[in-house]
Amino acid sequence: MTTGTEIDADLRPVLPLTAEVNAAGHLAIGGCDAVELAREFGTPLYVFDEADLRDRCREYVREFSARLPDVGVLYASKAYIGKALAQLLADEGLGLDVVSGGELAIARVAEFPLDRVYFHGNNKGREELAEAVAAGIGRVVIDNFRDIELLDEVAREAGVRQPVLLRVTPDVDPHTHSHITTGVLDSKFGFALAEGQAEEAMKRALAAPNLDVVGVHCHIGSQLFETEPYAAAIEKTLAFAADMRRHGLNLREFSPGGGIGIQYTRHEGPPPLATFAETIATAIKGACARLGLEIPRVTVEPGRSIVGRAGVALYSVGSRKDVPGVRTYVAVDGGMADNIRPAIYDAKYEALAAGRPLAALEELVTVVGKYCESGDVLVRDVRLPHLEAGEVLAIPASGAYCLSMASNYNAALKPPIVFVRDGKARLVRRRETYADLLATEVD
Ligand code: PLP
């Protein structure tokens, strides 16, 4: 924040880099007044700070490249992807991790360099694989035995020897929400190291004439604050890779996944990215030295930590309901249709009045959405000024896994998205219309 009038210092880590209080006393992002943005584009509105996005991309490239000889930073599209973001990421030199034909289609429309795109997923369809191979996708991450068979066939038909990584589950608990834990034994993703499953998969993949196994991949979970589980997963996965030399594996690439968490609330934040990069690099270098492996190319796949903090959701306040002695509900014009995270992960957020971010926090309220579920709660128990109907409420750290999980529940219209930078707002996605809702109906 750049002005003399400071927003609560505890909120800084959850607001985008350029967030400040402007001369009007309003929250401003990228030099754009949040109340004005709400007026111009309507609410709910998602605002992304371009400076923050670019800064995160550069920080990832810098911190990992400083510690490892050959690094690729791939943005995990599942956190949120659109054409403008894909173009910005391409411009910053990042790669992309996609998990569906749809995400691949967005990458293609954005003219994203497809050799920097990796295709993940635990149940890829034949058509999706064919599209990916035909498009010249950089890597397919093999997740199961069916992937090996299907992809080998698809690659043969396309006359391609497809580079692949093999995803293993190292059975490491990263201590995050069970819905976003991916690398334990009881997971739908990847091949378990236990019981020889991963070894069998490696043998089959190495024997598949149209697959080129360039390396291994593991991913333990998302929204992680602890770095130690990464070190454990890296150690196990690289030990497996070293062992697989018996079957002819020449390890050229390794991915320890994505997953450093972001700060959503005042008092709970992750360690700095440098600490995360240091843990990963040290674990990789140490394991390689012990196992007699050359340090491979390392690809990391951050999603949340690239876009999470850059995005702020703006809502208009509507009705309120006091339940004396219990709680006060303040309702806004969005909710679980644009942000389902509180409902499915019990995710926590902060909130602030965009028109008076410095005002006294007079009351404790629960911010709810407008959808027909009691679980449609955006922020439980947050201190705010007494908000009147029509005032704009900002929910920071809304850039990741909100828009990409948005639905049309209650026939809600998905919100517009603006990118802000140097005092200019660029609409990159318009609000859906009733016509959009009806476009797929067949008479
Ligand atoms: N890579 C893989 C394989 C994932 O499953 C995920 C998320 O679950 C990510 C990358 C991105 O994780 P995050 O958004 O936490 O960085």
Side-chain angles (χ1 to χ4, degrees), residues 27-39:
L27 173 67
I29 305 161
C32 295
D33 184 310
V35 177
E36 289 298 323
L37 289 173
R39 211 165 280 151

Side-chain angles (χ1 to χ4, degrees), residues 133-188:
V133 170
I137 201 147
R139 305 271 185 274
V140 175
V141 182
I142 298 283
D143 198 271
N144 51 70
F145 289 109
R146 184 177 147 84
D147 268 356
I148 299 174
E149 277 169 37
L150 267 185
L151 185 61
D152 191 38
E153 246 175 68
V154 161
R156 177 174 48 75
E157 285 162 13
V160 167
R161 188 152 181 260
Q162 177 62 48
V164 300
L165 298 176
L166 194 91
R167 178 169 176 171
V168 303
T169 44
D171 195 16
V172 168
D173 186 348
H175 308 132
T176 186
H177 194 286
S178 64
H179 294 182
I180 44 177
T181 292
T182 56
V184 292
L185 180 63
D186 185 3
S187 162
K188 72 170 184 171

Side-chain angles (χ1 to χ4, degrees), residues 45-348:
L45 173 70
Y46 277 72
V47 180
F48 280 88
D49 179 5
E50 264 198 61
D52 193 307
L53 289 171
R54 289 184 186 275
D55 207 69
R56 294 284 73 69
C57 294
R58 289 171 198 178
E59 189 184 11
Y60 259 98
V61 172
R62 189 176 63 242
E63 295 300 343
F64 279 89
S65 302
R67 294 171 168 89
L68 289 161
D70 186 9
V71 169
V73 179
L74 314 175
Y75 169 73
S77 306
K78 67 204 80 175
Y80 156 62
I81 194 67
K83 223 171 113 178
L85 178 61
Q87 284 161 349
L88 182 151
L89 297 164
D91 189 41
E92 290 295 331
L94 267 62
L96 212 56
D97 139 10
V98 301
V99 295
S100 69
E103 288 181 353
L104 178 60
I106 295 171
R108 294 178 77 172
V109 165
E111 297 180 8
F112 199 93
L114 292 169
D115 58 335
R116 302 204 310 246
V117 179
Y118 285 42
F119 193 9
H120 273 274
N122 72 308
N123 189 21
K124 306 174 192 78
R126 177 181 243 284
E127 267 182 33
E128 287 178 316
L129 285 172
E131 278 166 26
V133 170
I137 201 147
R139 305 271 185 274
V140 175
V141 182
I142 298 283
D143 198 271
N144 51 70
F145 289 109
R146 184 177 147 84
D147 268 356
I148 299 174
E149 277 169 37
L150 267 185
L151 185 61
D152 191 38
E153 246 175 68
V154 161
R156 177 174 48 75
E157 285 162 13
V160 167
R161 188 152 181 260
Q162 177 62 48
V164 300
L165 298 176
L166 194 91
R167 178 169 176 171
V168 303
T169 44
D171 195 16
V172 168
D173 186 348
H175 308 132
T176 186
H177 194 286
S178 64
H179 294 182
I180 44 177
T181 292
T182 56
V184 292
L185 180 63
D186 185 3
S187 162
K188 72 170 184 171
F189 297 106
F191 297 97
L193 292 178
E195 312 293 335
Q197 237 188 50
E199 178 173 2
E200 177 58 27
M202 182 61 84
K203 282 199 299 199
R204 286 196 212 173
L206 286 167
N210 306 292
L211 305 185
D212 177 16
V213 185
V214 297
V216 290
H217 177 285
C218 65
H219 181 267
I220 52 175
S222 191
Q223 183 56 5
L224 310 186
F225 283 4
E226 290 176 33
T227 54
E228 273 320 299
Y230 275 100
I234 287 167
E235 179 67 40
K236 282 183 162 183
T237 306
L238 287 178
F240 166 74
D243 187 32
M244 290 303 100
R245 285 179 294 198
R246 287 187 290 121
H247 301 301
L249 175 67
N250 169 19
L251 186 77
R252 284 161 280 161
E253 192 170 319
F254 169 59
S255 175
I260 187 75
I262 64 163
Q263 184 155 353
Y264 283 99
T265 57
R266 286 164 189 269
H267 302 300
E268 251 194 315
L273 186 60
T275 308
F276 176 64
E278 183 64 27
T279 306
I280 287 184
T282 303
I284 292 174
K285 287 189 277 195
C288 286
R290 267 192 307 284
L291 297 161
L293 289 167
E294 262 184 49
I295 299 175
R297 173 173 171 77
V298 173
T299 48
V300 287
E301 300 166 348
R304 187 190 309 274
S305 47
I306 298 280
V307 293
R309 182 182 172 186
V312 175
L314 300 178
Y315 301 96
S316 293
V317 170
S319 63
R320 56 191 287 144
K321 175 181 174 179
D322 287 307
V323 186
V326 180
R327 72 176 62 247
T328 297
Y329 290 98
V330 171
V332 296
D333 55 356
M336 69 189 299
D338 60 89
N339 184 357
I340 201 165
R341 296 189 64 257
I344 60 172
Y345 305 141
D346 198 22
K348 306 277 186 282

Side-chain angles (χ1 to χ4, degrees), residues 294-428:
E294 262 184 49
I295 299 175
R297 173 173 171 77
V298 173
T299 48
V300 287
E301 300 166 348
R304 187 190 309 274
S305 47
I306 298 280
V307 293
R309 182 182 172 186
V312 175
L314 300 178
Y315 301 96
S316 293
V317 170
S319 63
R320 56 191 287 144
K321 175 181 174 179
D322 287 307
V323 186
V326 180
R327 72 176 62 247
T328 297
Y329 290 98
V330 171
V332 296
D333 55 356
M336 69 189 299
D338 60 89
N339 184 357
I340 201 165
R341 296 189 64 257
I344 60 172
Y345 305 141
D346 198 22
K348 306 277 186 282
Y349 287 93
E350 298 289 347
L352 66 162
R356 43 191 180 120
L358 305 177
L361 307 179
E362 299 153 324
E363 57 178 13
L364 186 71
V365 300
T366 287
V367 179
V368 295
K370 61 177 286 179
Y371 303 106
C372 288
E373 291 280 320
S374 294
D376 179 21
V377 172
L378 283 172
V379 195
R380 194 174 290 280
D381 295 333
V382 59
R383 294 202 71 80
L384 285 169
H386 184 96
L387 294 171
E388 301 298 336
E391 282 197 75
V392 179
L393 185 79
I395 299 198
S398 295
Y401 300 104
C402 296
L403 292 162
S404 56
M405 290 190 177
S407 76
N408 292 114
Y409 180 52
N410 290 171
L413 304 175
K414 289 186 189 158
I417 303 169
V418 293
F419 278 26
V420 291
R421 179 184 181 175
D422 300 332
K424 293 198 181 64
R426 174 162 70 104
L427 183 69
V428 302

